[in-house]
Amino acid sequence: MAETSLVGVAARSRDALLDGAYRRIFWRLIPLIMVLWVLAWVDRVNVSFAKLQMADELRFSEAIYGLGAGIFYIGYLLFEVPSNLLLQKIGARKTIARIAIGWGAVCIAMASATTPATFYVLRFLLGAFEAGFFPGVILYLTTWFPTERRAKVFGIFMSSVALSGVIGGPLAGLIMTSMQGWGGLSGWQWLFIVEGAPTILIGLVALLWLTDRLEQAHWLTNDERFAVRSDLDRDARMLGQREHALSTALRDPRLWIFTLVYFCVIVANATVAFWGPTIMREAGFANVATIGWLVSGASLIGSAVMIGNGLMADRTGRPLWQCIGSLAAGALGLAGIAAVLHSSPQLVFVMFALALAGAYGAIPVFWQLPSKLFAGTAAAAGIAIINSFGNLGGFLAPYGLGLLKDATGNIAPGLMAVSIVEAFAALVLILIVRRFFAGRSA
């Protein structure tokens, strides 16, 4: 009896040590990474607010805007896998700093995008520099947190996407209205300059602050490092046999099914990100500052959903069904916008908030799925492949909607098409992906 009691005390002591170690890891790594991801999304989608001025000033058509917004993802595609493989060689600290400093500089240069050609080139370069950040962070966090803690961490980290809208919308409205004409520059030019500079500074901070590996984490005690290493090794054993070889993973149809699903997720994600301000204006809201606050409010809801999804996935161990539910909600929201776009501005906002919450909320729980099937080099390259090819949806959505709007004068048909794409992704998860996890929790 006494021996059993001692075992229980030892287990509680080990659990307390682990909880404390993971809290320290979280507060050391996640806040800085979240700030960088907020800045990445602000710098990526601030063009959607800049469009409200620059399209008229530069006489850019909807298709020119859509192509420029979407071509970001071509640069992303071409450079993401090499960037993620480079991370394995030189470490996350140097990789993340390099990426942040580069995209911050390109964002500032966007103030000179006064012709379609310059606009396209700089948007391509922005994607090329940012390539590798998201999948690199996902891979990086898997080396610090076990499976049962990752959904919560992923959800909090990825909520930065929605938080960027909470911050970016009002900030964009403020900069574009209050700085118009300063130094002979338009408000949209100041938007790029003001929002690009902090990214360079935070990139330099990352170089000094981040730690590549657990064994280098001298801000943990020896006991904490040992306990976390043992816990991560336990997690790897519990996951069982996973594919490690890159060549085998590339021939695995599961990798390409995940890529297809993520492509559909990003089509919806890019739609709400790059066309949100335009949707609000089409609904009848004319003031740039008002549009910024509306997008901010919808983004706040999306942020709460992303965090909530991560917490629930940790509690239930069922990220697959939460991903399905998020996609279904997002599809309903986009279809709702298309149906009431020119009849009820208030209902458009409600439907936009639902669409944004669904599109953003699916992302953290989606990324729990591939990591259950792939590890090692296969995980590094597999995550990058899924993210880079999937992100082609980010090219298709802005450009396709721009072409449709130029052709029809109405954004509603494009939104309905994206709704169907998002619903299709939910069906693929139900009918195909669910079979991948037969005998496993998903």
Side-chain angles (χ1 to χ4, degrees):
M1 190 73 174
E3 184 176 343
T4 302
S5 177
L6 287 173
V7 170
V9 169
R12 287 193 295 273
S13 177
R14 183 185 65 251
D15 290 345
L17 180 65
L18 274 174
D19 287 341
Y22 284 124
R23 274 195 301 271
R24 293 183 68 180
I25 292 170
F26 178 92
W27 288 110
R28 175 77 184 198
L29 304 181
I30 300 303
L32 180 62
I33 291 173
M34 283 186 69
V35 169
L36 281 171
W37 196 221
V38 166
L39 293 173
W41 267 87
V42 166
D43 292 347
R44 182 189 301 190
V45 306
N46 55 13
V47 70
S48 67
F49 289 97
K51 170 185 180 285
L52 300 179
Q53 287 182 353
M54 71 186 297
D56 291 335
E57 182 178 319
L58 303 178
R59 298 184 180 179
F60 284 0
S61 69
E62 300 289 349
I64 288 174
Y65 164 72
L67 178 57
I71 206 169
F72 168 95
Y73 291 98
I74 302 299
Y76 213 103
L77 168 65
L78 295 177
F79 289 92
E80 184 158 12
V81 172
S83 180
N84 217 36
L85 292 175
L86 183 63
L87 180 145
Q88 284 200 309
K89 291 186 176 181
I90 69 172
R93 182 175 60 88
K94 292 179 181 177
T95 299
I96 290 171
R98 169 187 61 79
I99 288 170
I101 293 167
W103 95 58
V106 174
C107 181
I108 292 172
M110 281 290 298
S112 66
T114 54
T115 66
T118 308
F119 182 46
Y120 299 153
V121 169
L122 288 173
R123 287 291 299 176
F124 175 86
L125 289 175
L126 189 68
F129 273 106
E130 194 184 311
F133 180 80
F134 177 78
V137 167
I138 294 297
L139 181 64
Y140 181 51
L141 294 180
T142 63
T143 67
W144 291 92
F145 296 95
T147 302
E148 65 271 15
R149 296 179 187 260
R150 284 179 201 160
K152 176 183 176 181
V153 173
F154 287 177
I156 293 173
F157 160 62
M158 294 177 199
S159 69
S160 307
V161 174
L163 284 173
S164 69
V166 176
I167 298 167
L171 182 60
L174 177 64
I175 293 170
M176 290 171 65
T177 54
S178 65
M179 299 185 72
Q180 176 68 24
W182 281 27
L185 298 178
S186 298
W188 64 267
Q189 292 175 301
W190 280 114
L191 177 65
F192 292 126
I193 294 169
V194 171
E195 294 189 342
T199 305
I200 297 175
L201 296 176
I202 301 298
L204 292 171
V205 171
L207 194 60
L208 301 173
W209 185 255
L210 294 179
T211 304
D212 283 328
R213 299 190 305 274
L214 175 63
E215 289 70 24
Q216 299 171 335
H218 300 300
W219 35 271
L220 293 174
T221 67
N222 290 334
D223 287 345
E224 287 172 331
R225 286 198 298 273
F226 179 79
V228 171
R229 171 50 58 206
S230 298
D231 195 41
L232 293 172
D233 291 343
R234 169 205 58 81
D235 181 58
R237 290 193 298 270
M238 285 185 63
L239 286 172
Q241 183 63 38
R242 293 178 292 167
E243 186 52 63
H244 285 253
L246 172 58
S247 59
T248 305
L250 290 174
R251 296 192 300 269
D252 192 329
R254 297 176 301 179
L255 176 67
W256 301 106
I257 293 294
F258 281 130
T259 302
L260 172 64
V261 171
Y262 197 61
F263 174 89
C264 297
V265 170
I266 296 301
V267 165
N269 185 282
T271 297
V272 296
F274 289 112
W275 287 94
T278 300
I279 289 170
M280 292 296 105
R281 188 166 66 178
E282 291 280 317
F285 301 101
N287 184 271
V288 174
T290 301
I291 291 172
W293 281 108
L294 289 169
V295 173
S296 175
S299 298
L300 185 61
I301 296 169
S303 179
V305 170
M306 291 184 84
I307 294 173
N309 264 6
L311 291 171
M312 191 175 296
D314 276 345
R315 188 175 299 115
T316 65
R318 298 287 181 182
L320 175 63
W321 286 104
Q322 287 172 243
C323 191
I324 292 167
S326 293
L327 290 171
L332 179 62
L334 288 171
I337 295 171
V340 301
L341 183 59
H342 300 294
S343 60
S344 174
Q346 293 76 21
L347 193 52
V348 167
F349 172 76
V350 172
M351 290 292 103
F352 177 69
L354 179 62
L356 189 148
Y360 286 0
I363 294 176
V365 284
F366 169 85
W367 283 111
Q368 279 289 288
L369 305 176
S371 64
K372 290 176 177 282
L373 301 176
F374 301 100
T377 301
I383 288 171
I385 288 167
I386 292 168
N387 196 52
S388 56
F389 281 95
N391 269 311
L392 282 177
F395 170 75
L396 177 65
Y399 188 37
L401 262 68
L403 288 173
L404 279 172
K405 191 171 188 300
D406 274 345
T408 66
N410 190 352
I411 199 174
L415 296 176
M416 187 60 73
V418 175
S419 172
I420 293 170
V421 169
E422 200 168 6
F424 170 74
L427 284 175
V428 171
L429 289 174
I430 294 170
L431 300 176
I432 301 176
V433 174
R434 191 160 57 97
R435 299 177 185 176
F436 298 165
F437 297 95
R440 300 183 187 219
S441 174

